[in-house]
Amino acid sequence: MNNKENLKNYLLLLESKRETIFNYLNKYSNDELNNEYILNKWTINQNLYHLWLAEYTTEKYIKKKTSYPEYLKNVTFFTRFNHFFTKNLQRLDILKFKAPEIISKFPDEININELNNNWIKSRESFLSLIDDLDDSIIEKGIFNHRLIGRINLRMTLDFFDFHFNHHVKKINKISIFI
């Protein structure tokens, strides 16, 4: 299996996880999913919207950056270390990271079905992006994560995964109040 097929399979695994959480949340109304059960904490829908928006804006960023391949840099050892370190800190819930403002502003009301459809379209678009990328730049630092540094496409999908898992933990904690 080639590198692109591995990346697409990873994205399909992420899609399966996304489908699972949306299927689980199907039993709740939009009002319940938009309710702030824990004071000053994001709602379930806000957590989901944040995850989708992070992926959506990342794809736009990657498309822009990869249109100028001559400026892409190699992923450094330091970045690989930061990636590993950040992934494990987030998994253990040791440190809290404040989300960038661009992906932490929400509409007043978030419709779960609309969000689900938007996310499905985003994932399809990301699969196309993987197909369209030249093999020579897949390992380059195509996304600049503000904490980790310039990461390649595999590391970007890995970030999507551990970021998703982190927010699913939050969603599960909130759902006990519903």
Side-chain angles (χ1 to χ4, degrees):
M1 195 177 318
N2 68 28
N3 203 8
K4 282 187 181 183
E5 289 304 313
N6 286 334
L7 293 169
K8 287 168 42 175
N9 284 338
Y10 195 178
L11 189 61
L12 292 173
L13 173 67
L14 298 178
E15 178 59 14
S16 174
K17 288 176 146 187
R18 188 202 63 76
E19 287 175 346
T20 300
I21 194 68
F22 273 83
N23 287 337
Y24 167 73
L25 296 172
N26 244 353
K27 60 188 171 190
Y28 301 117
S29 70
N30 260 322
D31 287 341
E32 291 170 316
L33 297 172
N34 282 305
N35 192 342
E36 188 180 314
Y37 292 95
I38 304 171
L39 191 61
N40 298 321
K41 298 288 184 185
W42 290 353
T43 68
I44 289 175
N45 273 355
Q46 287 172 333
N47 276 278
L48 292 170
Y49 188 89
H50 164 78
L51 287 167
W52 165 74
L53 194 56
E55 289 187 21
Y56 176 76
T57 57
T58 297
E59 180 188 2
K60 285 178 28 177
Y61 179 93
I62 289 171
K63 283 180 177 178
K64 181 178 179 180
K65 286 297 179 184
T66 56
S67 66
Y68 302 98
E70 64 276 12
Y71 295 107
L72 296 174
K73 299 192 181 331
N74 291 327
V75 176
T76 66
F77 171 79
F78 183 70
T79 298
R80 291 182 193 284
F81 176 79
N82 277 348
H83 175 259
F84 174 81
F85 187 70
T86 304
K87 176 180 179 174
N88 286 296
L89 286 178
Q90 194 160 37
R91 181 183 295 137
L92 298 171
D93 279 334
I94 292 175
L95 289 178
K96 303 289 182 202
F97 302 107
K98 186 164 174 56
E101 191 174 321
I102 191 169
I103 55 173
S104 57
K105 287 190 174 182
F106 310 109
D108 292 335
E109 190 78 14
I110 299 168
N111 181 292
I112 189 80
N113 294 322
E114 188 177 311
L115 177 58
N116 189 27
N117 290 332
N118 287 339
W119 211 338
I120 290 168
K121 289 176 193 168
S122 292
R123 288 282 171 85
E124 289 169 354
S125 179
F126 211 98
L127 279 170
S128 294
L129 171 67
I130 293 170
D131 273 334
D132 294 343
L133 285 177
D134 189 83
D135 289 341
S136 65
I137 62 174
I138 286 179
E139 290 301 318
K140 296 281 188 180
I142 60 175
F143 175 61
N144 191 16
H145 187 280
R146 71 184 190 118
L147 294 173
I148 301 171
R150 292 203 170 276
I151 58 178
N152 63 31
L153 194 53
R154 169 68 184 187
M155 295 165 84
T156 301
L157 294 178
D158 201 35
F159 166 72
F160 288 171
D161 188 31
F162 69 78
H163 186 225
F164 182 86
N165 293 338
H166 171 72
H167 282 277
V168 166
K169 285 181 193 173
K170 291 180 171 196
I171 289 167
N172 286 333
K173 285 178 185 175
I174 296 167
S175 69
I176 39 181
F177 294 102
I178 301 177

